[in-house]
Amino acid sequence: GLLRIDHVGVAVADLDAAIEFYARVFGMTCVHIEENPEQGVREAMMRVGPTPEGGCVQLLAPLTPESAIAKFLDRSGPGVQQVAYTVRDVEVAAAALRERGMRLLYDAPRRGTAGSRINFVHPKDAGGVLVELVEPA
Ligand code: CMX
């Protein structure tokens, strides 16, 4: 099952500008930055509050014009692009959701932030929300 909210993902056009905005306005701390070419993103984890229990907002900027984030920005503009949940085993969680009629985007997990293993539920099957499953490394 789902253990907790892992992060809320927000699509942004300019990662450095968004990091500065979230730090200055909301007092969040950037705890991790990485590029994931397979996902076509440059991303930053912004921690809410002084300890990890506060959770994270993930800022997602496109690496290429064909990427999922570029497409999202073109269609919807900047804003919430995904809600991600921590799971113990992404294959088990994906199988349980498939049993309940959800379409998973990948047959097998792919690599997410910081070596995690990830999969997604199609937003059309989840009430318009792109749901990410994250098995931490
Ligand atoms: N949230 C809610 N709805 C979304 C959506 C999102 N993020 N992205 C697309 N949609 C909607 C579209 O608006 C469209 O709706 P309509 O049919 O009503 O117009 C519908 O879903 C299907 O759109 P589509 O053109 O078939 O699909 P897209 O090419 O837009 O791709 C998706 C959508 C989810 C398959 C694609 O974004 C994807 O593969 N996402 C997973 C990977 C990803 O998001 N990577 C970036 C983050 C990386 C990370 O978290 O590490």
Side-chain angles (χ1 to χ4, degrees):
L2 309 180
L3 299 177
R4 70 186 81 87
I5 292 179
D6 191 275
H7 61 265
V8 174
V10 175
V12 303
D14 181 331
L15 191 69
D16 296 326
I19 291 170
E20 188 277 331
F21 175 86
Y22 273 75
R24 177 170 51 80
V25 174
F26 297 121
M28 295 186 197
T29 308
C30 182
V31 292
H32 184 78
I33 295 182
E34 113 178 41
E35 269 185 26
N36 185 337
E38 189 190 15
Q39 289 292 331
V41 293
R42 201 172 153 239
E43 54 173 81
M45 279 295 182
M46 303 299 294
R47 196 179 68 196
V48 182
T51 65
E53 289 80 72
C56 281
V57 170
Q58 180 185 46
L59 304 175
L60 297 158
L63 268 184
T64 69
E66 308 77 41
S67 63
I69 297 301
K71 217 173 160 186
F72 183 89
L73 288 171
D74 286 344
R75 184 171 9 214
S76 312
V80 174
Q81 187 257 352
Q82 55 168 266
V83 176
Y85 299 98
T86 312
V87 298
R88 204 177 311 285
D89 182 324
V90 68
E91 271 143 335
V92 170
L97 290 166
R98 275 192 205 98
E99 290 257 302
R100 294 168 201 158
M102 298 292 103
R103 279 171 297 166
L104 278 290
L105 292 187
Y106 310 141
D107 291 336
R110 294 191 186 171
R111 190 193 161 284
T113 308
S116 59
R117 299 166 77 233
I118 62 172
N119 206 335
F120 295 87
V121 177
H122 197 286
K124 287 291 161 189
D125 290 350
V129 178
L130 175 62
V131 171
E132 182 178 4
L133 305 173
V134 182
E135 177 189 321

